[in-house]
Amino acid sequence: MNPKVLVADPIDVSAVEILKKAGFDVDLRPGIGANELESVVSGYDVLVVRGRTKVTSKVLERGVPRLKVVGRAGVGLDNIDLDAASKLGVKVLNTPESSTNSVAELVVGLMLAVARKIAWSDRVMRAGKWPKGEAMGVELSGKTLGVVGFGRIGRKVAEVAYAMGMKIIAYDVIKIPEDVLAKTQAKLTSLEDLLRSADVVTLHVPLTPETRHLINAEKIALMKPSAILVNASRGEVVDEQALVEALSSGRLAGAGLDVYEREPPTGSKLLELDNVVLTPHIGAQTVEAQEAAATMLASKIVEVFTTSRP
Ligand code: NAD
């Protein structure tokens, strides 16, 4: 009998093609409700989701013994009960590599949008004005970029920024190989020194108990008043209240944000500030990243079933 896959969220068609070609039977049920999922999941070997479907302990308990793999097309596993999956022996797969380029490009876009007041100029022009004088910006070339978390995305951002003439300094908790640093002539520093000397600080750490509010009022106080903070990692890495205060008081020049402590950030003071550029958590929201997430996930699923039929 062919292994059966339930696709519970919208996913790029490339994944379905790969799975079918490899002999899987695929049922497409994007948008399936929680109750329906609980009642049908026991008939599948693989459950494929994105961020919408909640893979709770109940779903997993109903799914076993047949359910062997839960695949998340993308990075975040917040919607999957990982403890329950591990207890029940259900393998969880994701594709953290799929969005690196897309997130890095968005980060560079945010840096430029803040430094050159692009979003603000657009807003003001649409209101019928010509704010040339007030739209005075700063160049990024020659400035220092501080990368907090020198992993996949942090390194890619560094590469693009280096090509624009920025100097790179980086902070990480793991040892970064010399050849990786050499690519962008990056210098490793402490977090405090990075915050003191960077003109743009960009955050690329995972959300962990250690990184929650890593950037708080105390840390912002170390930054140059002319500095720009960019966050496309996770909202809770920044104490948003402290950030709002720093941006409102002129303690910090600007910020570019893709992620928020609460999403959407309805009612947040951030929405009222002119020196902030906001995007709605779209780091991985590109045709290429979605296709990469789907193909990478499908290939990983096929590999699991061919190397060690679970
Ligand atoms: P990665 O694992 O490749 O890199 C993370 C780096 O952070 C690692 O080098 C790690 O050692 C370092 N790190 C961990 N804890 C640290 C700490 N306390 N201080 C300093 N460094 C620390 O991850 P990645 O693929 O580069 O992703 C980075 C972040 O981007 C994650 O938070 C991820 O959730 C987020 N992300 C956001 C979007 C989006 O849509 N905006 C999309 C994908 C990923």
Side-chain angles (χ1 to χ4, degrees), residues 75 96 99-100 103 148-154 171-174 176 204-208 210-211 214 232-234 258-259 281-284:
V75 191
S99 51
T100 304
V103 181
V148 179
F150 212 58
R152 281 177 293 258
I153 299 171
Y171 165 71
D172 203 298
V173 282
I174 58 161
I176 307 296
H204 300 291
V205 290
L207 178 63
T208 64
E210 290 74 44
T211 62
L214 183 68
S233 63
R234 284 291 178 260
D258 187 44
V259 290
H281 202 148
I282 54 169

